[in-house]
Amino acid sequence: MIRVLVVDDSRETCDLLELLLSKEEVGMDLEVVKATRPEEAMELLRGGGFELMLSDINLEASLDGLDLLRFAKPLGVETILLTGFGTLEKALEAVREGAFDFISKPWNDEELKFTIQNAIH
């Protein structure tokens, strides 16, 4: 089973992503763990076992998605960053920092599922 960490300050977005990552939707057996605070996400990442993280960039906290990316990368966790305020500058920074991809909200479900499948493989 592949463990995926979903991080967003909106519980509704976390729940929506969990639904999108169901086996019926992506064709893979994924265990989704959700966090609404970056500190909670870092604690979960410290525990290990995650292969992929989907994180919003703007987390309404002192830490953001880029901070989580920098934390997760040395742990071998692929990261896809999501944002409702997508700019080319942020996308380039995310890629420079090692993000697998950068996706703007609202996302296209098929595009996101395809990106997730590629990140896992």
Side-chain angles (χ1 to χ4, degrees):
M1 180 171 296
I2 297 165
R3 293 185 78 207
V4 179
L5 179 60
V6 171
V7 186
D8 197 293
D9 56 347
S10 162
R11 185 157 304 283
E12 292 80 19
T13 300
C14 287
D15 292 343
L16 183 61
L17 285 166
E18 181 179 38
L19 186 62
L20 183 71
L21 294 171
S22 70
K23 185 174 184 176
E24 297 77 29
E25 289 293 320
V26 294
M28 289 184 269
D29 198 14
L30 305 177
E31 176 189 352
V32 177
V33 178
K34 301 177 285 188
T36 56
R37 295 177 302 105
E39 298 81 9
E40 177 186 9
M42 292 172 88
E43 189 62 34
L44 288 164
L45 287 166
R46 272 188 203 97
F50 290 97
E51 293 184 38
L52 178 66
M53 176 175 65
L54 284 94
S55 177
D56 191 1
I57 286 186
N58 301 306
L59 295 170
E60 302 296 325
S62 59
L63 299 173
D64 64 15
L66 288 170
D67 294 316
L68 290 179
L69 167 64
R70 291 180 197 110
F71 186 84
K73 196 67 183 167
L75 301 173
V77 179
E78 284 289 1
T79 301
I80 298 170
L81 292 173
L82 308 167
T83 186
F85 309 99
T87 65
L88 181 58
E89 183 179 303
K90 277 287 188 190
L92 289 173
E93 184 178 358
V95 170
R96 275 195 304 270
E97 293 285 345
F100 183 83
D101 210 340
F102 178 89
I103 296 176
S104 294
K105 292 178 183 178
W107 60 79
N108 172 292
D109 286 355
E110 293 306 314
E111 177 188 344
L112 183 57
K113 286 188 282 189
F114 180 76
T115 302
I116 290 166
Q117 290 166 342
N118 284 336
I120 290 171
H121 295 301

